[in-house]
Amino acid sequence: MVTSAVNASAPALDKPEAVVYTDVAIVGGGPGGLAAAAALSRVLDPSVRIQVFEAARAYSEAGAGVGMHINGLMACEAIHPSIAHTLYDKACYSLCSYQYNDVTGQRNAGGTLAVDRLGQMDATGHCQALMYWNDVREALYEHLPDPGMVQFGWRAAACQALDAAEQELLSGGTGAAAGADGAAPAAAALPWAQQPHRYELRMTRQRAGGSLGGGGAALAAADDGKEAVAMAAAASGEELVVRAKVVIGADGYFSRIRRELLGGSPPVFSGVVMWRGSFTAEELRTGAVPLPAAAFGAGASDRAASHRWTPAGSGAFPGPGGRVLLLFLAQSGDGVGAWYLQNSAKAVQEAGVEFPPAGAGGGVGGLAGPVALARGLAANSHLPPDVQALLAATAPERVTEHGLYVQPLDSVKQGSWTRGHVVLIGDAAHAAPPDGQGANLAIEDAVVLADVARRHGGMLGPQVFAEWEALRQPRVKDILGDTKYPFPNRNKCIQASYFAPLWVPGDAGLPTSLPADASSSSSSSSSSSSSSGGQLPSMAALLEWSRRTSRSIVERRLAEVAARGAAPEQPPGQAQAAAPAVVAAAAAAAPGARDVAGGGR
Ligand SMILES: Cc1cc2nc3c(=O)[nH]c(=O)nc-3n(C[C@H](O)[C@H](O)[C@H](O)COP(=O)(O)OP(=O)(O)OC[C@H]3O[C@@H](n4cnc5c(N)ncnc54)[C@H](O)[C@@H]3O)c2cc1C
């Protein structure tokens, strides 16, 4: 499902040169920005205006899957249990993971991994699962108190801290102005209504084509800070000025907020190029997308597995820079499947594929559509023919390509994520390699920020941000610093996660009473029990209910997947070897077909 770009309840933002005043401006509507909006709206006074400005005109289906772990799902639960329940219901539960040699296609003996999800749930209340990328954003978006909080299609093109005189002018001479970086403690302690607007953001309207794929923020950005070639297509005709008291930069890898309001070191190119794509249940059913023989040939139960192609001898996790193709089938909802494929920039260049692509500003390839698909095929011709056939059959509009960037952890210091009334969260603060923690940490950031704000009486400002940063930096370093499979330190941190719930008994969507023996409940959704008119359940009882509900959803989904695996299923379009001509034709796609993936800066 594509989330509508038009918010019925949105203020009139379409007028050229409109000025919008907001208390909190969140720049970026990815997992971090959406989680921040949802979490903060639980702890700030309802009169505090929170607006999210998202560059993409809509959330698109492009992109692939994202690994949600115990910590990310626990953080979602802390915002509202039904977010976690929704995600558990939509997740892909591969019962095991097979590995193959990515040249011969042969399955590696002993290369089968299995995850004991129910065991994880018993130990921690949560488990890991692969999600379809858009489901994560959608679940967070749908749990916002008002969808009009997100303004789609507006890109922050310039940001500045207003000086004291400007703040004074804007606040009507109330004397509320703070210093130029908004750091004056007296102003920070003022009630929200009396605080000055400290920052001005200039937004440009994104034109059609600016839709966002998964991890889209990495797309189309240049490391010299200039907008890349894809942006040129997104001609802007209208401008919007936003004046805000507090700015949260949730604008991903190439955060403009970081660049313009904080400075500091940008993320560095990791030397890896990534392609991602997805397909629908219908395409699988009709054979329009032929699954490789590996996914069917050796037994129907393979339908319930995920599949990983790596070079001989490199093991299941060749590391962030290694060559890998992962294919998984999401088995619920719309029934999409997804793949991601990564290779080193060096190998890509050796295969004769220009990287970075011409015009991408010398930093990173950010492409989508037929060109991205053609380049991915041309750069990965080592893959077995039936695997190439799957890639070649993926609808080009669902394919993205980009370089991967990471934030060196030794550049992370107290003060590097916040200045005055500005704070960075998610990839904008700590761009992570694609090894399964980026989205989780972005959601954690948001939940912990809201918790600290709550402890400060629903305020945001230098003190809150400094306290939050002191909590987050050691945790982020512990998790991202452990890069070697099987990630012992990372797993220890994840398993020890705890996030104080931001909800309270009686909140909408929570049960107002619980059966005495709730463990016998067959609930598989977040639906409320009817009110008994008595006392509300305690926090502890609600948390237990939430976890029981999650567990029953996972049990049901695992049973469904196992049943599917047991039922022989033969796709109508049996895997075919990709004729070299197919690959060549895709590779020859006209440069004019280059698409705008839109999430970049
Ligand atoms: C290939 C790949 C695979 C990954 N796999 C995983 C995984 O398995 N598990 C995991 O946890 N993480 C994974 N990640 C990491 C994950 O994508 C990010 O870490 C996560 O999305 C961070 O969320 P975020 O909200 O901070 O940033 P983003 O998701 O990047 O969102 C930033 C948002 O800001 C918007 N934006 C950017 N600039 C502006 C602007 N100037 N004005 C307005 N809006 C703007 C963008 O359009 C975007 O919507 C992966 C990343 C990549 C690249």
Side-chain angles (χ1 to χ4, degrees):
M1 198 204 338
V2 176
T3 307
S4 167
V6 180
N7 302 312
S9 58
L13 294 182
D14 282 314
K15 296 202 187 95
E17 290 157 28
V19 181
V20 166
Y21 290 86
T22 188
D23 295 310
V24 182
I26 300 176
V27 179
L34 292 173
L40 288 172
S41 53
R42 298 208 150 265
V43 301
L44 301 192
D45 188 88
S47 63
V48 177
R49 188 163 180 215
I50 304 171
Q51 284 279 305
V52 180
F53 297 92
E54 166 52 49
R57 287 183 66 87
Y59 293 138
S60 86
E61 302 280 6
V66 60
M68 288 296 285
H69 286 258
I70 291 163
N71 56 330
L73 285 155
M74 199 182 284
C76 287
E77 179 189 61
I79 302 173
H80 197 286
S82 59
I83 302 177
H85 300 165
T86 303
L87 291 176
Y88 280 121
D89 201 29
K90 291 191 163 181
C92 159
Y93 298 90
S94 38
L95 297 183
C96 62
S97 168
Y98 295 121
Q99 292 165 55
Y100 310 86
N101 179 305
D102 73 355
V103 175
T104 66
Q106 272 187 327
R107 187 178 287 183
N108 295 344
T112 304
L113 301 172
V115 176
D116 177 12
R117 291 195 179 79
L118 295 178
Q120 287 182 345
M121 293 194 106
D122 291 341
T124 69
H126 289 277
C127 71
Q128 68 193 75
L130 274 171
M131 314 271 159
Y132 183 52
W133 185 267
N134 214 29
D135 286 344
V136 176
R137 288 185 304 205
E138 207 164 77
L140 290 164
Y141 178 76
E142 281 170 2
H143 283 83
L144 292 175
D146 171 10
M149 288 173 90
V150 184
Q151 298 300 333
F152 289 96
W154 289 105
R155 170 180 299 277
C159 339
Q160 59 167 341
L162 297 170
D163 66 27
E166 287 167 318
Q167 291 183 30
E168 177 77 9
L169 203 66
L170 285 174
S171 57
T174 59
D181 67 355
L190 285 172
W192 278 99
Q194 291 171 31
Q195 289 186 36
H197 289 86
R198 304 176 178 94
Y199 301 95
E200 185 168 284
L201 312 174
R202 296 211 153 252
M203 304 280 174
T204 52
R205 189 82 172 130
Q206 295 301 108
R207 291 292 177 197
S211 69
L212 171 72
L219 295 168
D223 62 359
D224 59 2
K226 292 189 189 118
E227 300 299 325
V229 63
M231 269 305 297
S236 63
E238 300 155 54
E239 275 215 349
L240 171 73
V241 173
V242 175
R243 297 200 177 114
K245 298 172 181 174
V246 166
V247 175
I248 299 180
D251 48 346
Y253 282 21
F254 293 99
S255 171
R256 181 170 286 276
I257 299 301
R258 181 186 59 229
R259 214 156 61 215
E260 299 202 3
L261 294 179
L262 279 99
S265 36
V268 295
F269 182 46
S270 68
V272 175
V273 190
M274 170 77 76
W275 290 266
R276 293 187 289 173
S278 62
F279 40 85
T280 63
E282 180 66 5
E283 286 167 335
L284 280 186
R285 202 183 54 72
T286 59
V289 172
L291 285 171
F296 284 94
S301 66
D302 292 2
R303 185 82 196 227
S306 63
H307 306 267
R308 193 181 285 266
W309 286 262
T310 55
S314 70
F317 293 91
R323 195 172 81 189
V324 64
L325 167 67
L326 175 73
L327 165 68
F328 68 91
L329 307 179
Q331 286 116 348
S332 93
D334 293 339
V336 291
W339 54 262
Y340 78 73
L341 166 67
Q342 72 179 43
N343 207 339
S344 71
K346 189 164 169 277
V348 169
Q349 284 156 346
E350 281 166 7
V353 175
E354 186 184 10
F355 189 86
V364 56
L367 301 170
V371 171
L373 176 57
R375 287 168 49 88
L377 289 166
N380 293 282
S381 57
H382 60 276
L383 288 165
D386 58 355
V387 175
Q388 291 194 52
L390 165 90
L391 305 185
T394 308
E397 65 272 16
R398 286 169 166 259
V399 178
T400 60
E401 172 194 331
H402 51 88
L404 296 183
Y405 281 69
V406 289
Q407 189 75 47
L409 289 177
D410 54 12
S411 73
V412 170
K413 304 209 161 50
Q414 184 80 24
S416 47
W417 297 347
T418 177
R419 178 160 183 227
H421 286 73
V422 181
V423 69
L424 303 176
I425 63 170
D427 273 5
H430 42 74
D435 61 0
Q437 273 301 309
N440 294 275
L441 289 177
I443 299 170
E444 277 195 12
D445 281 350
V447 167
V448 176
L449 181 62
D451 189 33
V452 179
R454 176 169 58 179
R455 281 190 264 123
H456 283 259
M459 301 305 285
L460 292 173
Q463 209 184 329
V464 170
F465 295 156
E467 202 171 310
W468 167 84
E469 198 184 38
L471 286 171
R472 294 303 295 156
Q473 289 192 345
R475 163 108 176 153
V476 167
K477 284 181 177 177
D478 275 348
I479 289 183
L480 294 184
D482 184 4
T483 54
K484 270 222 153 114
Y485 180 78
F487 311 115
N489 196 39
R490 172 182 297 199
N491 288 335
K492 211 167 86 194
C493 292
I494 288 173
Q495 274 157 23
S497 299
Y498 173 75
F499 306 103
L502 301 171
W503 40 266
V504 292
D507 278 357
L510 296 174
T512 50
S513 69
L514 291 168
D517 179 15
S519 58
S520 62
S521 157
S522 60
S523 167
S524 64
S525 76
S526 57
S527 61
S528 308
S529 315
S530 62
S531 170
S532 63
Q535 242 189 346
L536 289 172
S538 66
M539 289 294 290
L542 284 169
L543 206 52
E544 201 195 317
W545 156 81
S546 173
R547 296 199 169 169
R548 220 172 26 242
T549 304
S550 293
R551 197 182 194 285
S552 69
I553 294 169
V554 173
E555 271 180 311
R556 171 174 56 75
R557 293 292 326 283
L558 287 173
E560 281 169 16
V561 174
R564 182 187 305 237
E569 197 167 359
Q570 197 65 14
Q574 188 51 274
Q576 295 155 0
V582 174
V583 177
R594 177 174 290 189
D595 204 350
V596 177
R601 285 151 292 273

